[in-house]
Amino acid sequence: MSATTLTGREPARRRTRSRLGWNLLGLLVFLTVGFPVYWMIDTAFKPAKDAIDPDPSLLPTGITLANFRRALDIADFWGPVGRSLIVSLSVVAIGIVVGMLAALAISRFAFRGRKIVIVGILAVQMVPLIAMIIPVFLLLNNLGQYDKLSGLIITYLTFILPFTVWTLRGFIVNIPRELEEAAMVDGCSRTGAFLRVVFPLLAPGLVATSVYGFIQAWNEYLYALMLMSQQHQTATVWLGNFTTKHGTEYAPMMAGATMMAVPIVVLFLLVQRKMAAGLTAGAVKG
C-alpha cells in the first residue's frame, strides 16, 4: 500500500471520528433536555405511591389514569386552561399584527429617531421581568385592569412585542427591496406589493415568532400569579393547587403538567415545517 493511499485515508478517518463525536454530543444534549419531559410523563402515569418512592425506577412500573382523574377533580381545570388559551392567542394575534407593522416601518422607512427605537427595543428586553412587577401592578390597578384578562394580555405584550418586532425585522430585512419595487412598477401599490410579495415570503417568520410568543404567554407564571385572583387563575397558577399544607401531590401535578403541554405539542406539530423554515431563514443583517 502506497504512502499516498494512507495519506488519503487519514482525512476520512478524522472526519468519521469528528462526526461520531458530534453525534455523541448531540445525543447527550438530547438526553439532558428530554429526560425531565420523560420523567414528567412517567410520573403522570405511575401510581401515586411510586411517585414518592425514595428509590424510584427509571422505567415504568405500572400505568394508571387515576392521576389524571385526580388532576381534573382537585380544582376547575378547563376554566384556567380556557383563560390561558384566550390570553395566549390574544397576545399572539395582537403581537403579530402590531409587531409586523412596526418591523416593516423600521426595516423599510427612514424616519427621525429610527435608531433610538431599535435601541429601545433591545433595552426593553434586557430588563428583568421581576423588576417590573410593582410598576405594572400599580399601573393596572390605576387603569382598572387588575384581575382582568385584558390587563394580563397588555402585560404580556410588553415583553413579547419587543422580541416580535426585532425578530420580524430580521426576516423583512432579508427580503430584497427589489421585489417590492418590481411589483410596484407592474402596477401594485405599496400595500399591494407588501401583501402579494413580502407577506408570503414572511410567512415562515410569522409562524416561528407566533409559536415563540404563544409558548411564552402560555408558560408565564409570575405575572399571572401576582395580577390574577384565585377565581381568574391561569393554567400555570392552577398547578399550585397540588401543593397544600399536607404536602405536594406529585403524581397528579405531573398529570396536570402533561395535560398542559398538549396544546403546545399540537401547535408545534401543526406548524413544524413552517417553523423550521422560519428558524433557518431568520438571520439578522443590516
Side-chain angles (χ1 to χ4, degrees), residues 35-48 51-52 67-68 70-71 77 238-239 242-243 248-262:
F35 181 77
V37 179
Y38 164 77
W39 195 249
M40 176 187 73
I41 298 174
D42 179 49
T43 305
F45 285 97
K46 67 173 53 174
I52 57 175
N67 298 321
F68 292 90
R70 173 61 176 162
F77 172 74
W238 170 81
L239 286 175
F242 295 99
T243 300
T248 301
E249 299 183 68
Y250 291 104
M253 177 183 285
M254 293 300 101
T258 301
M259 290 188 290
M260 279 182 53
V262 170

Side-chain angles (χ1 to χ4, degrees), residues 196-257:
R196 290 177 172 84
V197 178
V198 177
F199 187 77
L201 297 175
L202 192 59
L206 292 174
V207 171
T209 308
S210 298
V211 171
Y212 172 83
F214 184 88
I215 292 175
Q216 288 292 102
W218 179 265
N219 290 337
E220 205 284 323
Y221 173 79
L222 182 61
Y223 280 90
L225 176 65
M226 299 297 295
L227 301 178
M228 306 299 287
S229 65
Q230 186 74 13
Q231 292 75 22
H232 298 144
Q233 63 185 355
T234 59
T236 51
V237 181
W238 170 81
L239 286 175
N241 291 317
F242 295 99
T243 300
T244 65
K245 61 181 180 180
H246 301 293
T248 301
E249 299 183 68
Y250 291 104
M253 177 183 285
M254 293 300 101

Side-chain angles (χ1 to χ4, degrees), residues 125-145:
Q125 297 184 73
M126 298 177 186
V127 179
L129 295 181
I130 194 172
M132 298 189 293
I133 279 286
I134 295 178
V136 169
F137 173 81
L138 295 176
L139 179 61
L140 293 181
N141 190 47
N142 292 334
L143 295 176
Q145 293 296 313

Side-chain angles (χ1 to χ4, degrees), residues 5-39:
T5 303
L6 292 175
T7 304
R9 288 183 177 181
E10 281 301 316
R13 291 176 180 175
R14 285 198 295 268
R15 285 194 297 269
T16 301
R17 288 194 295 266
S18 176
R19 189 180 302 112
L20 179 61
W22 284 112
N23 289 338
L24 291 176
L25 178 61
L27 179 61
L28 178 62
V29 172
F30 171 77
L31 293 176
T32 303
V33 175
F35 181 77
V37 179
Y38 164 77
W39 195 249

Side-chain angles (χ1 to χ4, degrees), residues 77-99:
F77 172 74
W78 298 111
V81 168
R83 285 188 284 273
S84 288
L85 281 174
I86 292 173
V87 171
S88 301
L89 293 176
S90 299
V91 168
V92 169
I94 299 173
I96 285 297
V97 173
V98 177

